Amino acid sequence: MSVHSNATEAMSSAPEQTVADATRAVVGEFLAARLAGDTAKLVRLFADEVDWQLAENPGVPWIRPRSTAAECAAQAEELMAHTVPEDARASVDTFLVDGTDAVLMGHVSGTVRATGKSFQGPFALHLTVENGRITRHHLYENSLSIAQACAP
């Protein structure tokens, strides 16, 4: 009886592992596309409608509300246009996946092109992947440091 029970548990957890693997793969593609500045790939990775959350920051030109795949993908281009690419740094210290959800935590830093001022701080990114596309993008970062770097 316990053998049957263990087999049933193993079978019920197998599909969840597959979902997590698919989520991990899409997030890996997302990170590679961001690093390469591949906007076309990012548009394909984001769902047609995205639950985008990033604290509004009127003094930061690349931080604004977004909801479509094209708007979400354009954030990477806007960030690169307003910062010094050679100074951009991001490290991922933690990458957790649970089913369709992924959470990345790490540190980011850069320099704002218009002011020459630097920003840095920790970040946490919560992504949800459904049917091979990113449906949720919630980013939590040091918005004060970024706003101060953008201020003249």
Side-chain angles (χ1 to χ4, degrees), residues 23 26-31 34 41-52 67-69 72 100 125-138:
T23 298
V26 170
V27 173
E29 289 181 55
F30 166 76
L31 293 173
R34 280 296 304 253
K41 175 75 171 185
L42 289 170
V43 169
R44 290 191 302 274
L45 288 171
F46 279 111
D48 294 339
E49 188 171 321
V50 179
D51 175 10
W52 179 277
S67 61
T68 68
C72 294
T100 61
L125 175 60
H126 177 195
L127 299 170
T128 299
V129 176
E130 297 171 307
N131 299 317
R133 297 180 77 194
I134 298 168
T135 59
R136 174 186 295 139
H137 181 285
H138 289 188

Side-chain angles (χ1 to χ4, degrees), residues 6-123:
N6 289 340
T8 303
E9 286 176 27
M11 286 174 33
S12 67
S13 67
E16 187 62 30
Q17 189 172 31
T18 303
V19 170
D21 291 342
T23 298
R24 188 178 313 282
V26 170
V27 173
E29 289 181 55
F30 166 76
L31 293 173
R34 280 296 304 253
L35 187 61
D38 188 345
T39 305
K41 175 75 171 185
L42 289 170
V43 169
R44 290 191 302 274
L45 288 171
F46 279 111
D48 294 339
E49 188 171 321
V50 179
D51 175 10
W52 179 277
Q53 183 176 313
L54 179 56
E56 286 193 49
N57 200 333
V60 181
W62 64 88
I63 296 178
R64 61 181 177 77
R66 300 167 193 273
S67 61
T68 68
E71 290 171 343
C72 294
Q75 194 265 349
E77 286 181 342
E78 293 170 20
L79 174 64
M80 294 304 289
H82 292 285
T83 59
V84 178
E86 303 81 39
D87 292 349
R89 303 279 183 274
S91 64
V92 175
D93 304 322
T94 305
F95 183 2
L96 306 170
V97 177
D98 183 15
T100 61
D101 291 305
V103 175
L104 294 90
M105 294 180 284
H107 289 83
V108 66
S109 64
T111 302
V112 175
R113 190 183 305 273
T115 64
K117 295 179 185 177
S118 296
F119 60 89
Q120 64 86 30
F123 76 88

